[in-house]
Amino acid sequence: MLSLAGLVTGLVWWPAAAQDIEAGRAKAQACAACHGADGNSSTANYPNIAGQTWRYIYVQLKDFKEGRRQDPVMSPMAAPLSRDDMINLANYFAAQTARPSSYKTDDAKVKLGKAKADETLCAMCHLGGFSGQNEIPRVAGQQYDYVVKQLKDFKARTRTNDAGNMTSVAQTLSEADIENLANYISSLR
């Protein structure tokens, strides 16, 4: 019985089938106003979700739905989603190509941000190039304003759906560190 339960649980993490992506595309129309039709937001305070791992997107949607993560827009959007809806949306956005940020970064702040990222070992979780993995987001090329807000939320402990990792790291960051890191992350391609 345990091996059957393990097999069923393991199936949750199989790659997307074409029908999952198409079902996600249809459901994603409601997401386009903030995240863009292909998951590349043109609004600085909404994240790019194109190219995120499907597992990260799924976990975030589930956290919004179940109240572990709060947002006045996303919480009500996620509330009616079924598990299949969340998987299909996650697969659709994961299959999209992330475009680089158009934010005009400050070269000096990018350099300071890279030094801070190296010091705090950001690549240990987010990987080289900040491409993300599993439930850890791709942050390379992310919207500057969004990065600043999330780092501040982790620091203020108003975002806590991270098993404590980002909350802990953010406690060590100054306002200048946050600005520098956001410049660096937004500059990555």
Side-chain angles (χ1 to χ4, degrees):
M1 186 64 153
L2 285 176
S3 63
L4 178 60
L7 176 63
V8 170
T9 302
L11 291 177
V12 171
W13 304 114
W14 281 100
Q19 67 268 22
D20 297 335
I21 292 172
E22 287 310 309
R25 180 188 319 276
K27 197 64 137 167
Q29 291 177 6
C31 310
C34 298
H35 296 289
D38 64 353
N40 287 288
S41 176
S42 61
T43 307
N45 54 332
Y46 295 111
N48 296 325
I49 55 177
Q52 289 289 357
T53 68
W54 82 269
R55 287 170 62 170
Y56 176 74
I57 296 169
Y58 173 76
V59 167
Q60 297 310 301
L61 287 170
K62 188 173 180 218
D63 283 356
F64 281 122
K65 179 179 177 72
E66 296 175 358
R68 283 186 293 278
R69 185 171 177 192
Q70 300 287 323
D71 181 82
V73 175
M74 279 305 301
S75 296
M77 294 295 287
L81 296 175
S82 70
R83 180 177 174 276
D84 285 344
D85 291 339
M86 291 185 283
I87 290 170
N88 293 338
L89 281 165
N91 281 315
Y92 170 71
F93 286 116
Q96 304 310 302
T97 301
R99 290 192 306 262
S101 171
S102 60
Y103 180 78
K104 179 68 174 129
T105 57
D106 177 308
D107 291 341
K109 290 179 180 180
V110 167
K111 185 176 179 181
L112 291 169
K114 181 182 182 333
K116 181 51 81 171
D118 290 346
E119 175 189 323
T120 56
L121 305 174
C122 297
M124 187 175 210
C125 295
H126 292 280
L127 297 183
F130 288 67
S131 59
Q133 62 172 323
N134 302 320
E135 291 88 15
I136 308 294
R138 174 193 197 323
V139 293
Q142 189 55 269
Q143 299 283 357
Y144 172 86
D145 290 346
Y146 182 76
V147 172
V148 168
K149 181 181 183 326
Q150 296 312 300
L151 290 174
K152 286 182 177 184
D153 286 354
F154 281 122
K155 185 175 176 98
R157 293 186 168 102
T158 56
R159 179 170 177 193
T160 58
N161 70 325
D162 66 324
N165 297 328
M166 282 302 303
T167 303
S168 176
V169 168
Q171 300 312 300
T172 69
L173 302 176
S174 68
E175 291 292 316
D177 292 336
I178 289 172
E179 188 177 327
N180 295 335
L181 280 165
N183 268 274
Y184 173 58
I185 289 167
S186 295
S187 77
L188 297 172
R189 303 291 180 239

